[in-house]
Amino acid sequence: MRALWDHIIQSNETINKLIKAVKQAADYPEITPEGIGALPNTTTAEDIGALPNTTTPADIGAAAANAIPSVHFAITPAERQTIASVNPVLVNGLEITITPKSVNSKFLIMAVVNGTMTHVASSLIYRNGFPVLTHTGNTNEPGAQATTYYGNDIVTNMLQHTMNYMDAPQTIEPVTYDVRCTAGWSGTAHTLYINDRNTSDMRTPSTLTIIEFAGD
């Protein structure tokens, strides 16, 4: 970059000399085009071509691959799943195992769960069998990342839970992420339908997407 800047400065100097020479030509006819052309040409096509080509399409592609080394996607089967448990239950198909490219890798986890979200329903992201969040203060399920409340056992609704979480497992060993749901307010299980409602006429699969970002 410094070399390019120096060339620009030198080019400006050449242009200024040329302008000065042209002005002088009006007063001094002895200055000829050949004389003007004899001014040093400090920037040539060869000079420009000789500058280091520090960024190429291949470089950009390599940088992108290093910044985002992997992308993963999972979708549920196109079928209704019934959950009736006070403990979170795996949403069928929403499970991904990844081997991090670096101990500093971070994972952006995005999940969409469709279903009836009966009574008080919660959805969670798990890592290797444990919730990625452990906060309390949720009577339905501690560590929940999405919770809805409708106060009854209506299962004719079709609703949605969305979750976003950035995780940093700090390992190069395989890591398994999955999505789980429950409707078990105060220890009582309520029937929760995933990917559809009770009458099986609003089929909508749920999804899980994980993007790996390389660490420093």
Side-chain angles (χ1 to χ4, degrees):
M1 182 61 72
R2 178 57 184 271
L4 178 59
W5 184 248
D6 289 341
H7 278 295
I8 292 172
I9 292 175
Q10 291 173 353
S11 297
N12 287 337
E13 291 175 351
T14 299
I15 292 170
N16 289 335
K17 289 179 181 179
L18 180 59
I19 293 172
K20 183 177 179 180
V22 171
K23 288 182 177 179
Q24 289 176 341
D27 299 322
Y28 302 95
E30 65 274 13
I31 297 180
T32 65
E34 288 75 16
I36 295 173
L39 292 174
N41 184 0
T42 57
T43 303
T44 67
E46 289 73 18
D47 293 331
I48 295 173
L51 292 175
N53 186 1
T54 56
T55 304
T56 67
D59 293 331
I60 295 172
N66 290 331
I68 304 178
S70 67
V71 177
H72 308 264
F73 178 78
I75 187 168
T76 59
E79 58 188 30
R80 190 184 75 182
Q81 179 181 355
T82 302
I83 295 175
S85 172
V86 295
N87 298 313
V89 175
L90 174 68
V91 176
N92 294 335
L94 298 192
E95 183 176 44
I96 296 175
T97 298
I98 307 169
T99 299
K101 296 298 188 295
S102 164
V103 71
N104 296 316
S105 288
K106 295 179 175 61
F107 295 95
L108 176 59
I109 306 166
M110 299 168 285
V112 176
V113 182
N114 299 296
T116 56
M117 306 310 170
T118 313
H119 196 54
V120 180
S122 295
S123 295
L124 304 86
I125 295 172
Y126 272 58
R127 183 208 316 122
N128 293 338
F130 297 93
V132 294
L133 295 181
T134 58
H135 60 268
T136 58
N138 188 319
T139 302
N140 190 60
E141 187 60 39
Q145 290 178 275
T147 296
T148 49
Y149 168 56
Y150 287 92
N152 51 51
D153 283 332
I154 292 177
V155 289
T156 56
N157 293 327
M158 191 63 180
L159 306 169
Q160 188 176 82
H161 279 176
T162 60
M163 295 176 285
N164 291 280
Y165 184 74
M166 182 70 83
D167 192 39
Q170 297 184 318
T171 182
I172 55 173
E173 297 298 320
V175 179
T176 298
Y177 293 101
D178 64 64
V179 175
R180 307 187 189 195
C181 295
T182 179
W185 181 258
S186 296
T188 299
H190 299 264
T191 300
L192 170 63
Y193 294 110
I194 302 296
N195 302 331
D196 212 331
R197 61 177 184 167
N198 63 322
T199 50
S200 294
D201 56 1
M202 293 187 178
R203 197 62 47 91
T204 309
S206 302
T207 62
L208 172 63
T209 304
I210 303 177
I211 302 175
E212 180 178 4
F213 292 91
D216 297 331

